[in-house]
Amino acid sequence: MQEIIKNLNQELRKGTLVLAVLSQLKEKHYGYSLVESLNKKGLRIEQNTLYPLLRRLDKQGLLESTWEVVEPRPRKYYQLNKIGKEVLIELSKTYKNNYQTIISLLKEES
Amino acid sequence: MILLERYLLQVERYLPFKERKDTIEELRGLILDQVDSLVSTGESEEKAVYKVLLDLGEPKEVANGYHEIRPIISKELEPILMLVLKIVSISLPLTILFAESLSFVFNTSNFTFMDFLLNIAYNIPSALYALVMALGTVFIIFYLIERFAQPKFEFNEKIFNPDHLPDIPIKVFKISLGESIFVILITVLALYLINYQQGLISVYYDDVKIPLLNSNFDIILPFINIGWLTAIILHIYYLFSRTRNIPSKTIETILGIYGGILLIVLATSNILNEVVIDGYNLTVLPNILKIVFIIVGCSSIVAKIIEYVKMFINLERINELDKN
């Protein structure tokens, strides 16, 4: 049963991670600064998950990525582009609606 | 830092070729950022690298995260792939066993029913081998279509409107599943016969067997193969579309005319052997066959042209179809 709960928890988390990452990329971030930003706000995210996710969002055309040489080393910075911003707005709306629905459903249960 | 380079080298091994350099550079930066952060809390650099790498996990797992998970065959193509696989799985072994049994019956003078069954049993491994090869080939073809012809299978993201559903095909465009399957089966069988069991096309008399086709036939064979393979592809398409349309009808007409011309070429070329049995010259048999070829060839050409012209006479309905 623990295994099932673990898997379902992972599935639940997967979708929300994209939203969380997009929400932070309204401002320019590089990988580690994004991890820290999310950590500070209470969202622990594995680097294994985050870095490929950034790459995927970039490929999907939601982000603008640039290499910048800032001491001590070059870093790849990511930020939402126009499409990314629109996607974030739409996803936020959907999430909020779903959240309200689920909360009311769970209230009915209890 | 040698440990870091050793780690990155292992990650690189499993990364997609195109993005290796960029990904490794980015990953190096990300790891070093974390190392710096740990070093600033008093950790030694060596221990910090060790800790960060331990946290990141197996290089292979890290690299796997960068691979795009994409199905080998998309949902749009999967049903048609499954249908083709089913048809091949049933038809190919049956065709091979049938052809081999025919060959056995015609080539063996005295045999018992048990011999016949044993012959079938002996041929089962080769039928299964051919099946595995064919399934692999079909899968490779579908993979190539998926990989390089993908845009053709992408459906436009339009708002669904039931009014825009295609009209029920008019009679001339209708095609049944059975018709396509039948054509595919017969054509596969015919292809197998003329390519691998040419000797079966013979005149049989007592224990004498005179092959009807001579070596000249091999010159025309590739043209026949092209025509029949096109017919198979066309009917596989029909299995998917479940209706004919003007381009496919055009191909059908061209194929019909092509077939007719081939039959006339076959009739007028020296492809048939002389048949002499017990001293009697029975060349009349190949001659009858030649006349049949000419009649069927000419009829096929005329019939196909008439059918094609008739289709265009019913312009009103065709225009309605075009609107959809």
Side-chain angles (χ1 to χ4, degrees):
Chain A
M1 178 154 123
Q2 287 303 318
E3 190 64 22
I4 296 171
I5 294 174
K6 193 181 153 196
N7 288 341
L8 290 175
N9 265 334
Q10 272 177 355
E11 274 181 41
L12 267 178
R13 215 173 115 87
K14 225 181 225 174
T16 50
L17 276 183
V18 175
L19 190 57
V21 168
L22 288 178
S23 74
Q24 295 308 293
L25 288 175
K26 278 187 259 179
E27 280 161 33
K28 202 191 267 186
H29 274 289
Y30 59 93
Y32 187 61
S33 71
L34 185 59
V35 174
E36 286 205 310
S37 166
L38 288 167
N39 270 346
K40 267 184 206 163
K41 288 168 186 168
L43 187 83
R44 284 275 305 157
I45 180 166
E46 280 180 34
Q47 300 157 61
N48 267 352
T49 315
L50 178 68
Y51 303 149
L53 175 62
L54 279 175
R55 186 57 69 107
R56 204 167 65 238
L57 294 172
D58 189 20
K59 266 191 192 172
Q60 285 173 346
L62 306 183
L63 308 180
E64 204 176 84
S65 60
T66 42
W67 277 99
E68 285 181 25
V69 184
V70 183
E71 281 306 315
R73 64 186 61 89
R75 289 176 176 128
K76 197 169 188 179
Y77 282 81
Y78 297 94
Q79 191 171 19
L80 288 183
N81 60 19
K82 194 170 168 272
I83 302 169
K85 282 176 190 161
E86 284 169 23
V87 168
L88 175 62
I89 292 168
E90 285 305 313
L91 283 183
S92 305
K93 273 187 209 163
T94 314
Y95 182 79
K96 280 172 193 162
N97 283 340
N98 288 348
Y99 178 76
Q100 293 299 339
T101 315
I102 297 289
I103 289 292
S104 62
L105 283 173
L106 291 177
K107 267 182 195 163
E108 274 176 32
E109 277 296 305
S110 56
Chain B
M1 287 295 169
I2 292 171
L3 189 63
L4 172 61
E5 293 311 316
R6 279 167 56 199
Y7 185 84
L8 290 175
L9 195 69
Q10 289 308 307
V11 176
E12 194 179 353
R13 278 179 59 203
Y14 300 105
L15 282 174
F17 276 101
K18 267 198 271 178
E19 300 153 11
R20 279 186 174 181
K21 202 179 161 213
D22 199 50
T23 309
I24 288 296
E25 278 317 304
E26 189 181 9
L27 200 58
R28 180 183 281 113
L30 293 164
I31 293 170
L32 287 175
D33 280 335
Q34 290 174 76
V35 171
D36 286 352
S37 166
L38 284 174
V39 168
S40 68
T41 61
E43 197 88 63
S44 75
E45 193 180 80
E46 202 182 334
K47 274 188 181 172
V49 171
Y50 192 85
K51 213 171 166 182
V52 172
L53 296 186
L54 200 64
D55 200 30
L56 262 174
E58 278 278 341
K60 196 176 174 181
E61 293 294 317
V62 174
N64 282 346
Y66 286 92
H67 282 280
E68 269 184 79
I69 302 162
R70 211 174 107 182
I72 298 173
I73 302 292
S74 67
K75 277 182 191 167
E76 286 81 16
L77 260 186
E78 197 189 308
I80 185 72
L81 169 68
M82 293 312 290
L83 187 63
V84 173
L85 288 181
K86 277 179 198 164
I87 292 169
V88 171
S89 304
I90 296 166
S91 66
L92 191 74
L94 287 181
T95 306
I96 291 175
L97 291 178
F98 177 71
E100 292 294 341
S101 302
L102 263 185
S103 169
F104 176 78
V105 169
F106 285 117
N107 290 323
T108 316
S109 47
N110 290 315
F111 61 88
T112 61
F113 183 61
M114 189 50 80
D115 291 335
F116 179 75
L117 290 181
L118 272 175
N119 174 66
I120 292 179
Y122 287 144
N123 283 309
I124 288 175
S126 58
L128 290 177
Y129 176 71
L131 178 65
V132 172
M133 297 283 284
L135 293 181
T137 311
V138 169
F139 195 81
I140 289 170
I141 291 169
F142 271 80
Y143 171 74
L144 292 174
I145 293 172
E146 176 72 45
R147 190 91 168 77
F148 300 107
Q150 180 63 20
K152 287 176 192 166
F153 291 93
E154 274 176 13
F155 297 110
N156 294 333
E157 282 184 33
K158 282 189 255 173
I159 296 165
F160 173 66
N161 181 348
D163 291 336
H164 292 164
L165 282 171
D167 205 354
I168 292 167
I170 55 172
K171 201 179 163 196
V172 70
F173 285 156
K174 267 188 186 161
I175 185 145
S176 71
L177 204 63
E179 185 185 339
S180 285
I181 293 173
F182 179 75
V183 171
I184 294 170
L185 287 180
I186 290 293
T187 318
V188 168
L189 180 65
L191 271 174
Y192 180 78
L193 269 176
I194 64 158
N195 283 283
Y196 298 108
Q197 295 289 345
Q198 232 179 63
L200 282 180
I201 308 166
S202 305
V203 174
Y204 297 89
Y205 177 77
D206 281 349
D207 288 344
V208 186
K209 181 185 146 192
I210 302 166
L212 212 53
L213 301 166
N214 62 30
S215 57
N216 289 341
F217 179 73
D218 292 340
I219 303 167
I220 302 171
L221 187 61
F223 297 99
I224 298 175
N225 283 340
I226 290 169
W228 283 352
L229 283 171
T230 315
I232 291 175
I233 293 168
L234 186 68
H235 281 273
I236 288 176
Y237 165 74
Y238 284 153
L239 288 177
F240 178 67
S241 70
R242 301 299 300 276
T243 173
R244 291 181 165 96
N245 49 34
I246 294 174
S248 78
K249 269 303 261 187
T250 310
I251 296 174
E252 254 186 63
T253 309
I254 294 169
L255 268 180
I257 296 169
Y258 179 80
I261 294 170
L262 272 184
L263 277 174
I264 295 168
V265 170
L266 283 173
T268 50
S269 311
N270 180 25
I271 57 146
L272 299 174
N273 283 326
E274 275 197 359
V275 182
V276 180
I277 297 170
D278 288 347
Y280 291 102
N281 191 337
L282 294 177
T283 313
V284 66
L285 285 176
N287 284 342
I288 291 173
L289 204 61
K290 280 179 183 179
I291 293 167
V292 171
F293 277 2
I294 290 179
I295 293 171
V296 175
C298 291
S299 327
S300 166
I301 294 170
V302 174
K304 280 291 165 189
I305 292 171
I306 292 174
E307 197 187 317
Y308 196 63
V309 173
K310 256 175 75 184
M311 180 185 80
F312 275 101
I313 292 172
N314 199 350
L315 274 176
E316 206 179 311
R317 290 288 284 145
I318 290 166
N319 285 341
E320 270 179 37
L321 265 170
D322 278 348
K323 277 180 210 163
N324 292 322

